[in-house]
Amino acid sequence: MFLFGVNSSVLPSLRRLAACLALLGLAAGVQAAGPLAQGTVPGAGQVSIDSADLGADMQRIPPEVRHDMLQQPETMKRLATNLYTRRALAERARAKGLEQRREVAAALALARARVLSDALLAFDVDKSNTPSDDKALALAKTMYQANPADYARPEQVRVRHILIAPGKDKDDAAAAKEAADLLAQVRGGADFATLAKEHSADPGSAAKGGDLGFFAHGRMVPAFDAAAFALQKPGDLSDVVKTQFGYHILQLEERKPAGPQSFDEVKEMLLDKVRQAEIQKGRAELAGQLEATMKLDEAALKAATASLKQAEAAQEPAPKK
């Protein structure tokens, strides 16, 4: 039944799968332009790849990396070349009859089953078990009203920081001195955000004037966390704080005390939770139905397990004398 389990990432995963297959459909629709690459390979015959092949291969790449790759012609050329080479190797293997080998045929069947079962879950099972917007909203409100304390907001602070990190051209002592000098400038009236943009070694926040946004206790490393929550009033500055990343200067922007959150503040989170619960229920019911059709030969399973253990042991390297 674990194959049908749903965790907190299931909805994004399903959306990615649906987007992937939709993208492949679009890619297949533009194949009229002809193959992306083709050639005659000794021992394999005619080999070609098309846009649908390229789109399918790119789905194994994380979305954030995929976006950057699409902007790099040379990278895409290398990807297409690798895909063509892989296809040529596969065709040569097929020509040699390797797909008829029992273990290869089993692996091919499992790969096909995995793709098809994922598609069925995304486009049929999960879709049919996803509640309507009205039902999901009603269930989310019931969930919130039953336990509003579960959705209380912890105390949060919003700070800016400047990080000075030791490196090849700056030893630890030099980094500490630079941080102390910058703190003196801020205390003397210099603009914190401007100094963060010019000097901070944290690229993610430097562009925003050092702004880290709101965070609760435990989100940052201990020394940074303690310094941030010790600040009381907007504009308050910390001393120089050392962490494993270097030397920090913190300035408080705002504090949010702990307290209840309204339904509107947690609505989207609750809607996702409700949908996940309904999908989990649908998958569990389907898994039960499928398992009820299965007749397991426990003796055969025991023998197969023993055989696999024996094969595994045979592959282990001999102990060194």
Side-chain angles (χ1 to χ4, degrees), residues 35-261:
L36 296 180
Q38 60 184 327
T40 301
V41 178
Q46 189 70 19
V47 173
S48 67
I49 60 167
D50 57 32
S51 55
D53 295 322
L54 184 63
D57 192 47
M58 288 201 69
Q59 298 315 304
R60 63 185 172 78
I61 300 167
E64 61 275 11
V65 178
R66 190 162 65 231
H67 174 78
D68 291 339
M69 289 179 63
L70 287 168
Q71 318 307 317
Q72 302 169 15
E74 286 301 315
T75 299
M76 295 304 298
K77 181 178 178 181
R78 173 49 53 190
L79 190 68
T81 300
N82 290 343
L83 183 58
Y84 175 86
T85 302
R86 176 70 68 177
R87 176 68 54 79
L89 290 170
E91 289 300 315
R92 185 174 287 181
R94 188 180 63 81
K96 288 179 176 292
L98 294 179
E99 67 179 334
Q100 304 304 319
R101 290 179 64 95
R102 183 179 179 186
E103 65 273 28
V104 176
L108 288 172
L110 285 173
R112 184 174 185 273
R114 189 175 295 112
V115 172
L116 287 173
S117 62
D118 284 348
L120 182 70
L121 290 174
F123 292 118
D124 183 42
V125 177
D126 295 337
K127 185 177 180 180
S128 65
N129 286 289
T130 299
S132 67
D133 290 347
D134 288 344
K135 181 180 179 180
L137 183 61
L139 290 171
K141 287 181 177 178
T142 299
M143 188 180 292
Y144 176 80
Q145 291 163 0
N147 296 289
D150 290 349
Y151 311 106
R153 177 180 53 239
E155 181 185 21
Q156 295 178 310
V157 293
R158 176 184 164 205
V159 302
R160 295 180 185 272
H161 87 129
I162 299 172
L163 168 64
I164 305 301
K168 293 181 179 179
D169 57 348
K170 187 185 305 177
D171 62 19
D172 191 80
K177 182 179 185 304
E178 182 178 348
D181 290 344
L182 289 170
L183 178 58
Q185 291 180 47
V186 176
R187 286 175 172 166
D191 181 69
F192 192 101
T194 299
L195 291 179
K197 289 178 181 178
E198 294 174 350
H199 299 278
S200 182
D202 175 14
S205 67
K208 297 179 288 187
D211 193 350
L212 292 171
F214 282 101
F215 57 88
H217 272 296
R219 288 287 303 280
M220 305 296 182
V221 295
F224 191 102
D225 187 86
F229 280 89
L231 302 173
Q232 297 300 314
K233 302 187 300 296
D236 281 357
L237 293 167
S238 70
D239 291 326
V240 174
V241 178
K242 185 176 183 180
T243 72
Q244 61 265 46
F245 302 106
Y247 295 88
H248 308 258
I249 308 165
L250 285 68
Q251 183 179 58
L252 181 66
E253 288 290 305
E254 190 177 352
R255 295 185 75 103
K256 280 185 182 178
Q261 295 186 87

Side-chain angles (χ1 to χ4, degrees), residues 288-304:
Q289 293 168 10
L290 296 176
E291 288 174 8
T293 69
M294 181 179 72
K295 296 179 180 179
L296 180 64
D297 187 333
E298 294 191 15
L301 177 61
K302 184 177 180 180

